[in-house]
Amino acid sequence: MLYIILLLFLVSIQNLHGHLCYSNHTLYFSQNNFSWNNFSTYFQSLSTIEQSSSSPCHVRITIDYNSIHNRYVTIKFGAPIIYNHTHIEFGSQINFIQKNIQSIVSYLDYTCLYEDLCEKKFLNKWANILLNSRNNSLHTSFLPLWNKSNSIQSKCEQHKVTNTCASYLCFMIYDELKNLSYGKYQCEDLSVTNPVKIHIKTNSENRMNDYQCMKNLCTKEIQYNLTLESDEYNELMMKKQIREYTNKLILQRAIFIVAILVIIACIAYWVQCRKYRQQGYRLTKTSA
């Protein structure tokens, strides 16, 4: 009986320091009937669950900006698949047909721990600003990087990943996301990175390119992770092998030339010594 009371006490203490999250739900909407101004009306009938202080709330909102098919909005609540800590991610998949952008699907992924229904507060504050249109300031900051009609703006290739594109892409998107935060306590624990991650994919003629970068909101450090297509990777490896072979060849030739010079010097010394001997001279050490 004592063990049961102790267990109930521990559970109550855990719940006391926990927080509320929406339980597993997936909502689908057509953009034609979707209101960006107030998310709360869509969540009134959703059930909530009490989470421990170490279990985050999670939501992902995905927007299809395709103008040909029925455009949709998907909002998915539930435990995060990968991240078990605070996390913000913006992602977009851009599909090209004949060098033109055909469709775009973007999303915001968020996990949080700081208060009840923190995922709902994030949606109410940021979803409308960042995802309401493919013509908003976020999307117009990076989509022109693939605009071939403007050589000044065009920094990216739909067929391959480049460092130049990654630099411009991440810088421009982070400039639009600079006001995102995890709350006023986000940098009190220096061991927590509180990352804002960017994940951009491009698809052109069945070639998928992948750009990933992550910014630490506390240290402002940015890391890049580029996935190269196989042909570009092979090209880089070939160049590396050529450089290594060239350096090796230069070293071998330098050693060969030095060896020849040493042999010539030895032969010259031997000929000179023989000449002195034939003339009756001997090399002697002079005394002081």
Side-chain angles (χ1 to χ4, degrees):
M1 184 67 180
L2 180 63
Y3 291 107
I4 296 176
I5 295 174
L6 180 61
L7 180 61
L8 292 175
F9 175 75
L10 292 175
V11 170
S12 63
I13 291 295
Q14 184 182 37
N15 290 337
L16 182 63
H17 297 284
H19 53 272
L20 289 176
C21 301
Y22 284 112
S23 56
N24 295 333
H25 293 285
T26 302
L27 308 175
Y28 299 93
F29 305 94
S30 168
Q31 288 195 47
N32 297 329
N33 303 319
F34 188 76
S35 174
W36 287 97
N37 296 324
N38 189 2
F39 281 87
S40 301
T41 57
Y42 300 118
F43 307 148
Q44 291 177 354
S45 61
L46 301 183
S47 60
T48 60
I49 186 172
E50 185 96 25
Q51 296 279 39
S52 68
S53 58
S54 60
S55 298
C57 301
H58 171 254
V59 65
R60 172 175 287 210
I61 177 171
T62 304
I63 316 295
D64 180 5
Y65 301 105
N66 192 348
S67 59
I68 298 177
H69 301 93
N70 185 27
R71 297 179 299 170
Y72 63 84
V73 178
T74 304
I75 304 175
K76 185 174 183 178
F77 296 97
I81 299 176
I82 300 176
Y83 302 98
N84 290 317
H85 50 74
T86 53
H87 169 79
I88 301 175
E89 178 177 331
F90 169 74
S92 189
Q93 179 168 323
I94 308 167
N95 297 311
F96 292 87
I97 294 181
Q98 296 180 352
K99 300 183 180 180
N100 296 316
I101 296 177
Q102 181 66 25
S103 65
I104 302 170
V105 177
S106 297
Y107 66 86
L108 275 175
D109 194 278
Y110 183 65
T111 61
C112 54
L113 289 162
Y114 60 89
E115 61 181 320
D116 289 343
L117 303 180
C118 50
E119 72 272 48
K120 172 186 174 182
K121 295 175 181 174
F122 177 81
L123 287 178
N124 281 331
K125 185 174 182 179
W126 293 109
N128 185 25
I129 297 173
L130 299 176
L131 296 176
N132 61 354
S133 169
R134 63 172 286 180
N135 297 318
N136 63 15
S137 61
L138 173 59
H139 288 86
T140 55
S141 69
F142 67 90
L143 290 179
L145 293 173
W146 286 274
N147 185 4
K148 296 303 177 184
S149 61
N150 190 329
S151 59
I152 298 177
Q153 291 181 316
S154 178
K155 303 294 182 182
C156 298
E157 300 285 340
Q158 65 261 34
H159 294 300
K160 63 180 180 180
V161 172
T162 65
N163 287 318
T164 299
C165 181
S167 298
Y168 278 89
L169 188 63
C170 294
F171 175 81
M172 290 182 173
I173 295 178
Y174 277 129
D175 189 54
E176 292 293 325
L177 303 181
K178 59 181 178 292
N179 294 321
L180 287 177
S181 73
Y182 290 93
K184 62 181 180 179
Y185 304 111
Q186 68 175 11
C187 294
E188 284 190 353
D189 184 358
L190 297 180
S191 65
V192 178
T193 60
N194 287 311
V196 174
K197 185 177 180 182
I198 294 172
H199 193 179
I200 306 296
K201 292 183 178 182
T202 62
N203 188 7
S204 178
E205 298 177 0
N206 296 323
R207 295 172 61 87
M208 184 71 75
N209 294 323
D210 200 333
Y211 291 91
Q212 297 184 50
C213 40
M214 184 167 62
K215 183 176 182 178
N216 185 323
L217 286 182
C218 301
T219 65
K220 309 303 181 184
E221 180 185 4
I222 297 178
Q223 298 177 347
Y224 299 93
N225 182 17
L226 309 181
T227 302
L228 300 177
E229 286 292 329
S230 58
D231 55 348
E232 184 175 357
Y233 175 79
N234 292 335
E235 181 181 353
L236 291 176
M237 292 301 297
M238 185 178 297
K239 289 180 179 179
K240 180 180 178 181
Q241 292 174 358
I242 291 174
R243 284 197 304 269
E244 292 176 349
Y245 176 77
T246 302
N247 293 336
K248 183 178 179 181
L249 186 62
I250 292 174
L251 179 62
Q252 290 176 345
R253 290 184 176 180
I255 294 174
F256 178 75
I257 293 173
V258 171
I260 294 296
L261 292 175
V262 171
I263 293 173
I264 293 174
C266 291
I267 293 175
Y269 179 77
W270 179 79
V271 170
Q272 192 68 22
C273 291
R274 185 176 181 183
K275 179 180 178 181
Y276 285 143
R277 290 193 186 98
Q278 289 176 351
Q279 293 176 356
Y281 298 104
R282 294 183 181 279
L283 296 175
T284 59
K285 181 179 180 181
T286 59
S287 59

